[in-house]
Amino acid sequence: GSRVNIVNVTSAELLRSFDLPKAVCLEFSPKSNVLATWQPYTTAKDGTAGVPNLQLHEVKTGKCLKSFIQKKMQNWCPCWAEDESICARNVNNEVHFFENNNFNTIANKLHLQKVNDFVLSPGAQPTKVAVYVPGSKGAPSFVRLYQYPNFGGPQSALANKSFFKSDKVTMLWNKKATAVLVIASTEVDKTGASYYGEQTLHYIATNGESAVVQLPKNGPIYDVVWNPNSVEFCVVYGFMPAKATVFNLKCDPVFDFGTGPRNAAYYSPHGHILVLAGFGNLRGQMEVWDVKNYKLISKPVASDSTYFAWCPDGEHIVTATCAPRLRVSNGYKIWHYTGSLLHSYEVPSNEEMWQVSWQPCLDGVFPAKAVKYQAVPSELPGAEPKPAQAYRPPALRNKPVTSSKLHEDEPPQNMKPQSGSSDKPLSKTALKNQRKHEAKKAAKQ
C-alpha cells in the first residue's frame, strides 16, 4: 500500500521502486520490458478530470513511458503480442495499436461501431485480432477476426460470426492462432431455467469457417479450454451433475466423460493429461485423465480449493485456498498427477494468503514424459475426506439401505465412430428429416 517494488529473483536485489501507493493491478509485458500498473480512477471534487491512473514503466530504466486515463478496472491492461512488437488497448469504441513499445504515436486504429472487447492471438507474427461488437436495436452481436494491420472495412476480415443472445463474450484463441472459441452469455435467462443467465458456444476459424457447438445437455457452460495441441477443446456444461465433452475442429464430439460433480477443466502444458474438477461451491473432487487413451489415472480430492494450476513440467499440480474468496484455512497443496499429495502448507490462522503462482518457464524446457498410472511415492498421507453419510430417520436406521438417486450418472463413452460401422450421430437436420419421414409413413398407414 505504499510502493511498487521490482526485485530480481536470482540475486534478490531491489531493481526499481515506484511511488504508486494506490496501485491495485500489476502486469508485466510478455518479455518483461514494461510494467503496467493501474490505480482506481478518481475525479477532483470540482468535477474536473482526474489524473491518468494507468502507467507504463520501462523496467530497465524505471522511466514512465506513458500514462493513460483508464476508468474501468475491467480489461484495464493493454495487450501485447508475444514479441512485444504490437501493443493494443480499447479506447472509446476503437482499438488503438502501438508498435515496439513506442506509446507516443498510435501506429494503427481499428474502428468499428462500439467495439466492446478484443483479444490478440498468441504466438509469432503476424498477429491476429478477434473483436466483439455487441448487438443493439434488434441487430445481432458479432465477432470478427482480422490480421494486423489489415483493418479496411468488413471485406478485409478473415472471418465473421454473428449471433443473438449475448450481453458479454469470452474469446479464446487456440495456441496456433487458427481458431477462436466464443462463449456468449446473457445476464438473464428468459426461460427462467437458470439464474446464471444463458450461454452458447461458437467456433470461428481464421479460414472463415464457423459453427455453433451443439451441447447435448441443457444448462450453464462452466468452462471451455483448448488442448495445447490446438486441434481439440473440452467443454464442461449442463445442470449438475455436469457433462464434460471433448470436441474436434469440426465441432464433433470425440469423447464424452459422462456426468459428475465438476465445473472446470485444465489441460496439462503438453496437452496429454486433462483434469476435470469441481471447485468453488463443489467439494474439490478431481479426475485426472490420460487424453491419448482416454483412461482415468487418479481421483484426488482437494477440498475448499479456490485455485488450480499445472506446473510447467506437466507432472505437478498446485491447488490453493486463497483470500478473499475464503478467509479461513488458507494454504496450498502440491500434487503429482497420479494422485499423490507431495507437500501441504497451511497459513497461520491470523494470516491470509492471497495468491499462489508457479514460476513461469519457456516452452520446451520440460520435455513431455510418458503417462504413469502408478501413484508416485509420497511422505504425506492422501487427503481422503470421509464420505458423508446420508441422514436416515430413526425408524429406518437398522433396515437395509435402498438406493434412491436423484439422477442417474452417465458413464464416459467414446464418441468417435468405430471403424467399420457407419452409425454416425445424426445432425439436427438429419434427425428432423428422419422424424418427418417416419411421421409421413405413419400417416400413410
Side-chain angles (χ1 to χ4, degrees):
S2 56
R3 307 186 71 78
V4 172
N5 296 329
I6 302 184
V7 177
N8 179 328
V9 181
T10 42
S11 61
E13 64 172 320
L14 182 67
L15 292 180
R16 297 266 163 266
S17 184
F18 300 106
D19 187 20
L20 296 162
K22 293 198 173 99
V24 287
C25 300
L26 312 171
E27 196 79 53
F28 279 105
S29 62
K31 297 181 113 177
S32 304
N33 290 322
V34 180
L35 173 70
T37 61
W38 184 85
Q39 309 169 72
Y41 178 71
T42 48
T43 48
K45 286 218 170 73
D46 54 5
T48 49
V51 291
N53 59 323
L54 164 59
Q55 266 87 19
L56 301 176
H57 299 273
E58 191 169 33
V59 174
K60 241 192 222 107
T61 60
K63 92 170 198 248
C64 182
L65 295 173
K66 187 78 179 166
S67 50
F68 298 103
I69 287 182
Q70 170 69 31
K71 293 183 181 174
K72 286 186 185 156
M73 182 172 176
Q74 194 187 344
N75 299 341
W76 69 273
C77 189
C79 296
W80 277 271
E82 266 171 37
D83 59 2
E84 292 193 17
S85 61
I86 298 168
C87 178
R89 61 186 291 263
N90 195 347
V91 188
N92 306 336
N93 309 334
E94 293 187 327
V95 184
H96 290 181
F97 291 87
F98 304 93
E99 290 180 357
N100 305 320
N101 289 332
N102 170 16
F103 295 99
N104 295 321
T105 50
I106 297 172
N108 239 306
K109 281 185 188 181
L110 171 55
H111 182 72
L112 273 172
Q113 73 287 7
K114 304 249 187 307
V115 175
N116 182 301
D117 200 2
F118 76 95
V119 187
L120 298 186
S121 65
Q125 294 299 337
T127 296
K128 301 175 185 111
V129 192
V131 290
Y132 164 63
V133 175
S136 58
K137 297 184 187 134
S141 311
F142 62 84
V143 167
R144 254 183 218 157
L145 310 184
Y146 289 95
Q147 186 165 307
Y148 184 84
N150 314 333
F151 300 141
Q155 270 60 53
S156 59
L158 300 171
N160 185 52
K161 174 103 175 74
S162 52
F163 42 87
F164 288 98
K165 291 194 183 169
S166 96
D167 296 329
K168 65 174 199 287
V169 301
T170 307
M171 296 178 280
L172 307 165
W173 280 99
N174 62 4
K175 204 169 168 184
K176 292 185 176 150
T178 54
V180 177
L181 288 168
V182 179
I183 310 162
S185 45
T186 58
E187 305 293 331
V188 179
D189 184 346
K190 296 218 168 75
T191 60
S194 162
Y195 59 73
Y196 290 110
E198 237 180 315
Q199 290 89 12
T200 44
L201 182 61
H202 305 272
Y203 166 90
I204 312 174
T206 50
N207 63 5
E209 286 171 12
S210 67
V212 179
V213 182
Q214 299 291 346
L215 302 175
K217 185 173 183 180
N218 289 335
I221 297 175
Y222 305 102
D223 203 4
V224 178
V225 281
W226 279 105
N227 185 326
N229 69 14
S230 295
V231 298
E232 57 185 30
F233 55 93
C234 179
V235 189
V236 184
Y237 61 97
F239 294 115
M240 284 297 158
K243 261 173 109 63
T245 309
V246 172
F247 295 89
N248 61 18
L249 295 183
K250 294 194 173 103
C251 300
D252 292 332
V254 177
F255 190 85
D256 188 307
F257 295 97
T259 55
R262 51 171 91 109
N263 54 14
Y266 307 91
Y267 276 102
S268 67
H270 303 102
H272 60 329
I273 299 171
L274 173 68
V275 175
L276 300 174
F279 295 140
N281 53 4
L282 294 173
R283 303 218 329 253
Q285 287 145 295
M286 299 187 276
E287 293 168 40
V288 184
W289 287 83
D290 168 354
V291 176
K292 224 183 202 140
N293 307 306
Y294 287 112
K295 272 170 75 179
L296 187 63
I297 301 170
S298 64
K299 290 183 81 165
V301 178
S303 39
D304 299 336
S305 301
T306 61
Y307 177 76
F308 174 105
W310 275 100
C311 177
D313 70 359
E315 298 259 310
H316 298 89
I317 288 163
V318 67
T319 57
T321 307
C322 300
R325 177 72 194 262
L326 282 173
R327 302 262 181 203
V328 289
S329 62
N330 284 182
Y332 63 85
K333 291 181 172 132
I334 308 271
W335 308 78
H336 190 268
Y337 69 80
T338 51
S340 312
L341 178 62
L342 302 180
H343 179 73
S344 179
Y345 173 76
E346 280 186 33
V347 174
S349 57
N350 58 340
E351 292 176 18
E352 288 182 346
M353 183 177 79
W354 285 71
Q355 198 178 1
V356 175
S357 175
W358 288 107
Q359 178 176 350
C361 286
L362 293 170
D363 275 359
V365 171
F366 293 100
K369 292 185 184 166
V371 175
K372 294 194 204 103
Y373 286 87
Q374 196 59 44
V376 298
S378 163
E379 321 275 290
L380 300 176
E384 280 296 316
K386 290 189 181 71
Q389 294 295 322
Y391 171 77
R392 305 196 66 202
L396 294 178
R397 276 185 194 162
N398 300 322
K399 304 223 169 107
V401 179
T402 54
S403 94
S404 59
K405 278 198 155 180
L406 288 173
H407 39 70
E408 285 307 309
D409 281 339
E410 291 177 29
Q413 54 175 321
N414 196 342
M415 307 296 280
K416 279 184 185 152
Q418 302 302 320
S419 52
S421 77
S422 62
D423 350 322
K424 273 179 87 173
L426 292 172
S427 68
K428 271 196 165 170
T429 30
L431 268 172
K432 225 183 197 166
N433 291 341
Q434 191 184 341
R435 279 197 207 113
K436 265 189 193 160
H437 189 69
E438 280 164 6
K440 255 190 191 160
K441 229 177 178 173
K444 255 189 189 162
Q445 281 171 359

